[in-house]
């Protein structure tokens, strides 16, 4: 097994800047579930390589732009998601689906911009692509398409997201830890006994061998019988669509910073660890389920209570991971040699290898 990453790679400013350029600028990043962008003028905001971007539905077409007005550089969107005309909050310039300012208050008097002049002020586009109902964006226009990047996982992810991709929670929290520590906390089950003894641990059973596809990996873990049965009962009660292809806790990691997790083929959980500084990470996460054949049950008090219990459970487990990850961030400043990884941390070793390959341009 190759050596783990040097402790300084978890706090160095230079490494962080190089990661932005070499890893995050050319990477597709998960920004939304398709349903969040289903209507005309639905939008989401994300952070790609430290740059705020927006993705919006314009009459059915998803378009992405760097989130800054061409006039005097106000951020166009402040909310993480919503619906509305793409209009700058400062002087009210409005933009169309090509990113061209089509409404400029007082244009004739103050700017005299004709069609060509407005065209020249178009927003900087970012690439947008979908895998099933997962929506991704990328800063750089050139590069391999999303399906090529996802490789062997494109098909199962499309299946999972179209079957289970109706979000009932979208949230974000800030961790005082490097993004790689967050990723690593998600890539092994070794810590479950210590960190999640009363939350996640009782739900799990046998850990199955990891699988690898390019820089990505898949970690299947059996669910305890009782946990699986309980989730299936919830699905039956609420009339939720499920998939028989996945029955455990089926965990996909998409390099560099994304997790897509199915539980009992019933619930879908997404996580993106966005670096906002060398020692700060914005964790965005979603919980989703399939469409319901019993909408009145789904909307009932019981349906809402089930949803709330899942949200609280997810928040609790992620909170437990946050606390230990922030401890590890302190530890990185004290450590004098790389981490020592065991066989049961093979997905972290593969992550480090993919990180090195990306940083070295291999
Ligand atoms: S800064 Fe956007 S309209 Fe002026
Ligand atoms: Fe954890």
């Amino acid at each position: 097994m190759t050596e783990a990453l040097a402790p300084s790679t978890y706090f160095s400013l230079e490494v962080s800047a190089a990661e932005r350029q070499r890893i995050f600028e050319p990477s597709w990043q998960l920004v939304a579930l398709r349903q969040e962008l289903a209507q005309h003028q639905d939008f989401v905001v994300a952070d790609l390589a430290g740059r705020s971007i927006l993705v919006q539905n314009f009459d059915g077409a998803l378009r992405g732009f760097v989130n800054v007005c061409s006039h005097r550089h106000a951020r166009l969107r402040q909310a993480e998601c919503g619906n509305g005309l793409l209009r700058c909050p400062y002087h009210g310039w409005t933009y169309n689906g090509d990113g061209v300012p089509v409404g400029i208050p007082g244009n004739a008097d103050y700017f005299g911009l004709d069609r060509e002049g407005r065209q020249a002020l178009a927003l900087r586009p970012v690439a947008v692509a979908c895998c099933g109902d997962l929506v991704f964006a990328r800063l750089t226009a050139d590069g391999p398409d999303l399906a090529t990047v996802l490789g062997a996982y494109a098909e199962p992810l499309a299946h999972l997201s179209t079957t289970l991709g109706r979000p009932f929670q979208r949230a974000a929290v800030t961790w005082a830890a490097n993004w790689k520590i967050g990723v690593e906390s998600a890539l092994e089950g070794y810590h479950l006994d210590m960190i999640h003894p009363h939350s996640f641990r009782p739900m799990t059973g046998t850990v199955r061998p990891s699988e690898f596809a390019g820089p990505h990996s898949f970690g299947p873990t059996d669910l305890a019988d009782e946990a699986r049965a309980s989730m299936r009962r919830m699905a039956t009660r609420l009339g939720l669509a499920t998939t028989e292809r996945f029955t455990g806790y089926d965990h996909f990691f998409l390099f560099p910073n994304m997790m897509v997790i199915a539980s009992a083929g019933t619930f879908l959980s997404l996580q993106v660890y966005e670096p906002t500084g060398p020692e700060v990470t914005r964790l965005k996460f979603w919980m989703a389920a399939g469409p319901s054949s019993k909408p009145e049950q789904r909307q009932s008090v019981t349906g809402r209570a089930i949803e709330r219990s899942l949200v609280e459970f997810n928040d609790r487990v992620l909170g437990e991971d946050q606390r230990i990850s922030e401890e590890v961030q302190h530890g990185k400043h004290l450590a004098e040699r790389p981490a020592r990884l065991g066989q049961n941390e093979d997905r972290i070793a593969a992550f480090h290898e993919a990180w090195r390959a990306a940083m070295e341009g291999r």
Side-chain angles (χ1 to χ4, degrees), residues 69 71-74 88 90-93 95:
C69 181
H71 175 224
R72 269 173 45 214
H73 307 153
C88 179
Y90 202 171
H91 310 94
W93 285 29
Y95 294 86

Side-chain angles (χ1 to χ4, degrees), residues 185-186 188 191-192 195-196 200 317 320-321:
S185 79
E188 48 88 357
H191 69 278
L192 298 190
I195 303 299
H196 311 297
F200 187 43
V317 173
E320 290 166 349
D321 285 321

Side-chain angles (χ1 to χ4, degrees), residues 124-201:
R124 152 100 195 267
V126 303
V128 177
C130 294
C131 168
D133 283 349
L134 303 174
V135 184
F136 292 75
R138 182 177 66 191
L139 272 181
T140 48
D142 304 328
D145 64 29
L146 179 62
T148 304
V149 168
L150 296 177
Y153 295 156
E155 190 281 327
L157 293 176
H159 169 73
L160 280 172
S161 62
T162 50
T163 314
L164 308 177
R166 303 199 164 211
F168 56 86
Q169 185 197 24
R170 176 197 179 96
V173 288
T174 300
W175 288 18
N178 183 272
W179 67 278
K180 298 190 289 299
I181 295 176
V183 166
E184 291 165 14
S185 79
L187 287 181
E188 48 88 357
Y190 189 26
H191 69 278
L192 298 190
D193 283 333
M194 295 296 291
I195 303 299
H196 311 297
H198 307 297
S199 53
F200 187 43
R201 179 68 188 92

Side-chain angles (χ1 to χ4, degrees), residues 324-361:
I324 191 63
S325 295
E326 293 180 348
E327 283 302 320
V328 173
Q329 185 65 39
H330 286 292
K332 291 297 180 189
H333 291 273
L334 304 171
E336 287 170 357
R337 52 175 180 257
R340 171 67 168 84
L341 300 174
Q343 301 292 344
N344 53 357
E345 295 162 308
D346 54 351
R347 296 176 76 199
I348 296 179
F351 167 55
H352 288 188
E353 190 43 44
W355 185 92
R356 284 199 180 94
M359 292 290 273
E360 289 161 18

